[in-house]
Amino acid sequence: MKDRYLDFVNSPFGTSIARALGLPKPEVLRRHRADEAEFAGMAAIGAGPSPTLFDQLMRVLTGIGMTGIAHDSAPDWLALAHRRGAMSGRITPRAADSGSANRVHALIFDATGIAESSELHALYAFFHDALRSLAKSGRIVVLGRPPSTCASPRAATAQRALEGMTRSLGKEARNGITSNLLYVAGSADIEGALRFFLSPRSAYVSGQVVHIDRPAAAPASWTKPLAGQRALVTGAARGIGASIAKVLAEHGAIVTGLDVEAARDALDQTMLSIEDTSRSGGAHAALIADIAAADAPAEIAAALASAGGVDIVVHNAGITRDKTIARMTDDMWTSVLDINLLAQERIDDALLAQNLLRAGGRIVAVSSISGIAGNRGQTNYATSKAGVIGRVQSMAPVLRERGVTINAVAPGFIETQMTARMPFAAREAGRRLNAMGQGGLPVDVAETVAWLASPACANITGNVVRVCGQSLIGA
Amino acid sequence: MKDRYLDFVNSPFGTSIARALGLPKPEVLRRHRADEAEFAGMAAIGAGPSPTLFDQLMRVLTGIGMTGIAHDSAPDWLALAHRRGAMSGRITPRAADSGSANRVHALIFDATGIAESSELHALYAFFHDALRSLAKSGRIVVLGRPPSTCASPRAATAQRALEGMTRSLGKEARNGITSNLLYVAGSADIEGALRFFLSPRSAYVSGQVVHIDRPAAAPASWTKPLAGQRALVTGAARGIGASIAKVLAEHGAIVTGLDVEAARDALDQTMLSIEDTSRSGGAHAALIADIAAADAPAEIAAALASAGGVDIVVHNAGITRDKTIARMTDDMWTSVLDINLLAQERIDDALLAQNLLRAGGRIVAVSSISGIAGNRGQTNYATSKAGVIGRVQSMAPVLRERGVTINAVAPGFIETQMTARMPFAAREAGRRLNAMGQGGLPVDVAETVAWLASPACANITGNVVRVCGQSLIGA
């Protein structure tokens, strides 16, 4: 369809509005393709005083075939690289000025040793020199310490300040570049998170802060990290849910896709297409159930029990019934709360009571930017999605004892049948009011879910990761 | 100046964009005036099961001369009111339909007893019936329990869900209505927060979540709560700082206004105008210092020592030096970090080391929405303002031992000389992209600072309160 936004931003008034809001002109994002190398090229490395993650970083980069080149702020990097026999070099400021051949694919800054805000100057020096050298769809990753674990208020202050830097870089960078901050506690392993945030799989994830809190074992295979695992995906017939089912299968999982009777044909089709795609030989299954029904948890538990339990539960099913509250009917409130929030509680309780969620299990729940920021006409939806965040935060410590993680993804504007039916202006606004200047695709949400479901994410729990292209909208 | 936004939103394309974004048409906000009653009229009371704050709520409403009328969701309210001999009544759904005479001035919902998300239905029932009865510049206050203190994940989930409800109501309500959520721990006192959020002083504070964590004594006087206290305000010569100095003086404080040599005349003028306004007879003082200078903390400490110490420190001084990072000079980074963040640390350290900040002291630091969301061209500013949030969060537990609180205010778009110089489109966007559809005034920030500085706020620390008219922009 005609992109009327482009007409608007090129009109005299629209141009100035767009500049003021920092609305970017859309870039075609690089996404994961089976026939393209996931990682390649150079990562420029910067650091504040006493970086603590260089060893891990070098190991990861070497493992994925990227070359780490040092910025002046990271003098120890070259020594480390030479000691390890790795290819290395030195980044020159304005390498970008000499042409795109010299561009780097990632800028990684180890800020974990920064203990005073004056030392944040090293971030300025690095990004000032290096940002223009970053290729299209490049990646910015800043590594810090969780402020709550810092020894002094001054260190906590400096670490918390990294958020302002990382989010500002995401809004400045354009060209499909993402910028994310990882708070790494103690000796936590960063490989799972680094691989995700450096890969095209995180194309639409920017401006996020992720907490990594402990060691985690690498999966047997990085290409099929979910091999042999059973996953349940609710609302799997169409849209985001169907994409989640497909991507989990591509990562090796055997998927039980659940949806309501009315979506039976679509669900069957989705599950069949997964068989074709994955060639995993696993027994993917379609399960018809209405998660709002009282007996649904027992039905689901029975189905999973016969499959020997479940490793990954993705609470994706959700509905909207938008209306301002004075016009909202009782049923619109109750059904949205029931399906989007209460059903998740009932299903998890049933699975946990019967010990069907195996050790090392993963729960990933779909929240929404509306649950973070609230939204006009969505008191019911925003309340349910804020509740999903509450679930993730309050269940995380409880589930940790079982070796189970629980996290949420919060999609922004994602191109689906649902958004295609939105009024023109709402759709355009949703598409453009983010740092990528475009809507995301269901696969962007699915890749994020698959990452959080992976064994390497044993050390990420209680997090909410927005998949929103760094939407302007928030709280 | 001509309000070109109004032309835009009334053009065919602009109308649909405005509807989609939920951009409201501006309403003249009711603000505090010495010659007008601060509180009056009726507050409609709703509640979930087992509300715990009715007694306090009744006491506060009686104290400020408001009548609490009950909604069906709050059957215990009428009984309580009758027992206390208070005027009371019952709200009828759609009272609004019978004319503005029946409108209520506040909707207050006690959700503290809600332990299951199904019980959130009581909020739907109350706001569905009552929202249209709310007068212009009316107030919505929801009272909940901090999710982290809840006995079960289900209770924590339901309490966390209140955020989605409160923020959505703020975006729906229009007409200068604000909507805020107070998380009240245990037997904490709510009077200070309730008075602020019910009054015209909070005109531009909406969509906020404030944590109240313990009992707090009422001030000797609610009209001059800062009587006899000494306050330091940095950057006091103009704009927001000048307004803070004035409002603190109106609340009874004796103010030391600080600014740089170049602003000496403006500072003198501001401090003189305060003498006139407050008639407090207190020895307001102008202090010339460059907070970036190495000897400034000692100078400030000496000045305050000669005044016998200080009760309230407001870190307002700040600068912007906007530029994308590749074009940002070293000095633009360093000066912004130094003045906006490091100077706060140095000054507080000097005051604390010399015991000049008295017990019961208050620190209020000015952050920014840029510090929360990041901003293009403001890596330096956003980093410094995110650091301010880090300071508040990390210093709060340390200062608690001294009986001192530390909080931040984060202004959104505020009408000042600085914003008047912004390019037209940026200014208009900043003004409109919030639930109030307009920029705030310096006094809105100042009133929020004065509230956080008050004795009644002894139980609010480590909070960040946005003064942004519920800006769409966030993280």
Side-chain angles (χ1 to χ4, degrees), chain A residues 3 5-6 23-31 134-139 173-178 203-204 431-432 434-441:
Chain A
D3 193 337
Y5 167 79
L6 283 183
L23 301 180
K25 300 208 176 168
E27 175 82 21
V28 177
L29 303 181
R30 186 177 165 234
R31 290 189 169 86
L134 190 56
K136 288 183 178 185
S137 288
R139 296 287 179 263
R174 313 285 174 88
N175 298 322
I177 291 166
T178 65
Y204 201 63
R431 274 180 181 152
R432 310 306 176 189
N434 62 74
M436 301 291 154
Q438 59 195 289
L441 301 181

Side-chain angles (χ1 to χ4, degrees), chain A residues 4-5 8 13 16-22 94 116-118 120-124 127-129 131-132 147 152-154 156-158 160-169 171-174 207 323-331 333-334 337 341-342 345-346 349 370-380 382-384 386-395 398 424-430 433 466 470-475, chain B residues 4-5 8 13 16-22 94 116-118 120-124 127-129 131-132 147 152-154 156-158 160-169 171-174 207 323-331 333-334 337 341-342 345-346 349 370-380 382-384 386-395 398 424-430 433 466 470-475:
Chain A
R4 286 175 60 182
Y5 167 79
F8 172 63
F13 183 70
S16 54
I17 285 280
R19 197 181 299 126
L21 288 174
R94 314 281 188 280
E116 286 275 346
S117 293
S118 57
L120 294 167
H121 183 270
L123 282 108
Y124 161 74
F127 289 105
H128 173 72
D129 287 351
L131 189 61
R132 289 201 288 204
S152 70
R154 286 205 174 194
T157 296
R160 181 61 178 74
L162 296 173
E163 268 198 41
M165 184 67 177
T166 313
R167 294 193 205 271
S168 295
L169 289 170
K171 290 186 174 180
E172 267 185 41
R174 313 285 174 88
K323 206 61 109 173
T324 54
I325 191 147
R327 295 177 182 200
M328 187 179 285
T329 64
D330 200 291
D331 183 63
W333 175 274
T334 304
L337 266 286
L341 179 57
L342 297 166
E345 295 182 317
R346 290 191 300 258
D349 280 0
S370 287
I372 294 167
N375 199 9
R376 178 173 159 77
Q378 294 199 315
T379 46
N380 50 0
T383 302
S384 73
V388 167
I389 294 172
R391 274 200 86 220
V392 159
Q393 292 172 337
S394 58
M395 289 292 289
V398 177
F424 159 74
R427 189 174 59 242
E428 281 301 286
L433 286 175
R466 288 168 50 147
Q470 199 178 14
S471 167
L472 288 187
I473 296 170
Chain B
R4 287 175 58 182
Y5 166 79
F8 172 63
F13 183 69
S16 55
I17 285 279
R19 197 179 300 126
L21 288 174
R94 312 283 188 278
E116 285 276 346
S117 292
S118 57
L120 294 166
H121 183 271
L123 282 108
Y124 160 74
F127 289 105
H128 172 73
D129 287 349
L131 189 61
R132 289 201 288 204
S152 71
R154 286 205 172 192
T157 296
R160 180 64 178 71
L162 296 174
E163 269 199 38
M165 184 68 178
T166 312
R167 294 192 204 272
S168 296
L169 289 171
K171 290 186 174 181
E172 267 185 39
R174 312 288 174 87
K323 205 62 111 173
T324 55
I325 191 149
R327 296 176 180 197
M328 186 181 285
T329 64
D330 199 292
D331 183 62
W333 175 273
T334 304
L337 267 286
L341 180 57
L342 298 166
E345 296 182 315
R346 290 191 299 259
D349 280 0
S370 288
I372 293 167
N375 198 10
R376 178 173 160 76
Q378 294 200 313
T379 46
N380 50 0
T383 301
S384 73
V388 167
I389 294 172
R391 275 199 85 221
V392 159
Q393 293 172 337
S394 59
M395 288 292 287
V398 176
F424 159 74
R427 189 173 60 241
E428 282 301 287
L433 286 174
R466 290 168 51 147
Q470 198 178 15
S471 168
L472 289 186
I473 296 171

